[in-house]
Amino acid sequence: MIVYIKERIVQLKKGEVPNDYKKTEFGVFPRDWVTDNRLGDLFDFYGGFSKSREELGDDGHPYLHYGDLHRNPVNVVSQITYLDMPKYACDISGNETFLMQDGDVAFLDASEDLEGTSRAVLIDNPDNKTFIAGLHIINGRSKNASLQKWYKQYITTSQNVKKQFQRFAVGFKVYGINKDTLPKIQVAYPKSTMEQAKIAEILMKWDEAIAIQEQYIEKIKVKKNALLSSLFSQQTKSWRVATLGSIATMYAGGTPSTVIKEYWGGNIPWIQSGLIQNNVINIEDITARISLKGLNNSSATWIDSDSVLIAITGATCANIAYLTCPATANQSVISITTKQVNAKFLYYYLQFVRNELLSLQNGSAQGGLTLKYLKTFSVRYPNETDQKQITNVLETCDAQIHLHKEKLNMFYLQRKALQQYLLTGIVRVKTN
């Protein structure tokens, strides 16, 4: 990093204001930036056309549902991007305020987490085709030309702005921002639209790199699923058949053994079902901890390393994980420890038959699996040599996924740092 930028960052961390910068109530910015505007000075806000997912179909006008934005972390949406987006059939005059025009910004008025309250995307619709702002979407339309089109997608992404969204957000399990609070959000931006365009150009390169990397990871995942199907579908008469309960020790809940004290002391790795995402869990992945005092009043199970875990409740129900370190878990997780079958082979096999596991759900309101039924679940497995060969093939595929996920995480961290530096003017860009 260039020396003067490092010095500037050090000054800011000390609470000092560098030369040619000014301190405002929501941050420190370059003197030549606009800092006295709020979103209400830049945008008019209009409500979306609220229709449930069940009312949408394949015919009609493209409809931007807030759920599509939650599932897809893009900064720009367009009819090209959402060719397969849901449609809503209705008569349109062309004057409706819920129609999104080129350069509009779609804000979410509801989110399940505070981070999502500042979610906003740029509408790229140069031909101004019919494009409906839907459920939980607030459509922002520029009042003037203060903001360059492509810069708008980043207007809410700096930490200075995010913190304001989180302060204004209301709700308990779902957080909301409305048309009354949105205009109050203070923003800072370069006065020069050329500088705005250059900042957007830089950040969009990272967005593109992230998108390409995510697509590549999805291709490897498709390859892995094909391998799972190929390797486990070629079962022969030589493959043995047994119930899980007959080849493994299985626990759900229970009292942890005293070995916990010897191994971890008073700061014990704690696994809950949400952590089980069909992957390998290492000690560094387990951020939650529980004390010995907490264990005395819990139904936790001590789990040895090289165990297979199954989530039995909630959104992750029937997800499978492989544990590489000793840990403890609550009653939402069943642990499987076996020496009769290669544990890693069993981990992959249970991924292959996940849909069958889901069929064992007991029919309660949330659904769920039970130890009783899982013990009776039949598994098939070849000889030890073939188990290792199958495992090696799939581990190679998982290693590729892990490597590219690390690269993706690096891109995310780089983009986050760039956004903070560029969108607050800590780092200035040249426009000529």
Side-chain angles (χ1 to χ4, degrees):
M1 186 180 292
I2 301 173
V3 174
Y4 76 86
I5 295 177
K6 283 186 176 180
E7 292 174 348
R8 190 177 295 160
I9 294 172
V10 170
Q11 282 183 284
L12 290 169
K13 286 182 177 179
K14 289 181 178 179
E16 300 173 0
V17 180
N19 292 334
D20 298 324
Y21 283 72
K22 57 186 174 182
K23 186 174 183 178
T24 73
E25 61 184 71
F26 66 107
V28 177
F29 304 97
R31 287 191 177 278
D32 60 342
W33 277 33
V34 178
T35 58
D36 57 354
N37 273 346
R38 301 173 187 267
L39 288 180
D41 298 315
L42 300 169
F43 296 96
D44 287 316
F45 295 104
Y46 304 98
F49 189 36
S50 296
K51 296 294 175 182
S52 67
R53 182 72 76 178
E54 291 71 26
E55 295 177 89
L56 307 180
D58 297 325
D59 300 316
H61 308 293
Y63 182 100
L64 185 60
H65 191 281
Y66 83 109
D68 296 317
L69 294 186
H70 276 302
R71 285 188 292 271
N72 194 338
V74 295
N75 290 333
V76 180
V77 293
S78 66
Q79 288 181 316
I80 295 175
T81 307
Y82 282 86
L83 285 175
D84 58 346
M85 70 193 310
K87 309 287 194 305
Y88 183 73
C90 62
D91 294 329
I92 296 291
S93 69
N95 297 317
E96 290 83 355
T97 56
F98 56 73
L99 295 181
M100 297 182 292
Q101 299 177 4
D102 189 47
D104 285 357
V105 177
F107 297 85
L108 295 185
D109 75 0
S111 174
E112 293 181 358
D113 55 74
L114 281 173
E115 180 71 18
T117 57
S118 58
R119 186 90 164 88
V121 297
L122 171 69
I123 303 303
D124 179 30
N125 185 17
D127 296 326
N128 286 326
K129 294 180 179 178
T130 303
F131 198 178
I132 299 175
L135 183 67
H136 292 305
I137 299 291
I138 298 174
N139 190 36
R141 181 157 301 153
S142 293
K143 290 182 174 181
N144 50 53
S146 297
L147 298 179
Q148 193 266 350
K149 173 182 172 179
W150 298 106
Y151 184 82
K152 293 176 189 178
Q153 63 188 294
Y154 303 110
I155 195 69
T156 66
T157 55
S158 72
Q159 290 302 312
N160 310 65
V161 175
K162 283 179 180 289
K163 288 177 182 177
Q164 293 179 69
F165 270 92
Q166 292 169 11
R167 189 169 67 249
F168 280 119
V170 295
F172 177 53
K173 291 186 177 180
V174 176
Y175 301 94
I177 290 289
N178 56 48
K179 288 189 292 181
D180 293 325
T181 51
L182 258 179
K184 300 175 183 178
I185 303 291
Q186 294 177 288
V187 291
Y189 54 91
K191 190 175 296 184
S192 164
T193 54
M194 291 180 64
E195 185 174 356
Q196 294 176 29
K198 188 65 178 179
I199 290 172
E201 179 186 346
I202 294 169
L203 293 176
M204 287 172 72
K205 289 185 185 298
W206 258 259
D207 290 341
E208 183 181 1
I210 287 170
I212 291 172
Q213 190 67 12
E214 287 175 336
Q215 290 168 9
Y216 192 72
I217 290 171
E218 285 306 310
K219 286 181 180 179
I220 302 176
K221 287 182 177 179
V222 170
K223 175 185 174 183
K224 178 187 172 181
N225 288 334
L227 282 171
L228 281 170
S229 179
S230 173
L231 293 168
F232 290 116
S233 296
Q234 296 176 6
Q235 300 172 12
T236 65
K237 291 182 179 179
S238 65
W239 282 41
R240 299 178 184 178
V241 182
T243 62
L244 274 176
S246 68
I247 63 171
T249 302
M250 302 172 66
Y251 291 105
T255 304
S257 79
T258 55
V259 73
I260 291 179
K261 297 179 183 179
E262 301 167 13
Y263 200 98
W264 288 113
N267 192 25
I268 304 157
W270 173 251
I271 296 174
Q272 294 176 291
S273 58
L275 184 62
I276 300 178
Q277 300 290 342
N278 291 309
N279 59 8
V280 175
I281 299 177
N282 301 303
I283 186 62
E284 59 267 21
D285 301 317
I286 310 173
T287 56
R289 291 289 191 275
I290 190 168
S291 67
L292 288 173
K293 182 178 179 181
L295 282 173
N296 292 334
N297 299 314
S298 74
S299 54
T301 300
W302 179 243
I303 308 169
D304 292 324
S305 59
D306 300 316
S307 294
V308 179
L309 309 178
I310 301 180
I312 61 172
T313 60
T316 58
C317 186
N319 276 6
I320 317 296
Y322 178 82
L323 184 66
T324 68
C325 59
T328 192
N330 69 0
Q331 60 268 36
S332 65
V333 175
I334 286 178
S335 63
I336 305 172
T337 305
T338 177
K339 292 184 178 178
Q340 294 190 45
V341 177
N342 182 305
K344 204 64 176 290
F345 172 88
L346 183 60
Y347 159 67
Y348 287 121
Y349 181 85
L350 292 176
Q351 286 186 35
F352 173 65
V353 295
R354 182 174 182 270
N355 286 337
E356 292 180 45
L357 290 172
L358 283 169
S359 70
L360 294 177
Q361 292 185 86
N362 59 23
S364 63
Q366 282 189 312
L369 297 171
T370 65
L371 181 60
K372 175 183 176 181
Y373 286 119
L374 283 174
K375 281 186 173 181
T376 64
F377 187 78
S378 293
V379 296
R380 298 177 64 91
Y381 56 97
N383 60 54
E384 187 176 348
T385 300
D386 288 346
Q387 288 179 44
K388 288 182 178 178
Q389 288 178 344
I390 290 172
T391 298
N392 288 341
V393 171
L394 293 169
E395 280 186 316
T396 300
C397 201
D398 272 348
Q400 288 182 316
I401 293 172
H402 178 72
L403 181 66
H404 288 285
K405 278 187 174 180
E406 285 190 331
K407 188 175 180 180
L408 178 62
N409 288 335
M410 180 186 69
F411 286 157
Y412 273 119
L413 289 172
Q414 289 175 342
R415 184 182 67 175
K416 183 178 180 180
L418 278 172
Q419 284 181 172
Q420 189 58 22
Y421 291 153
L422 292 173
L423 297 174
T424 58
I426 293 174
V427 175
R428 302 298 297 270
V429 298
K430 295 181 179 180
T431 57
N432 49 32

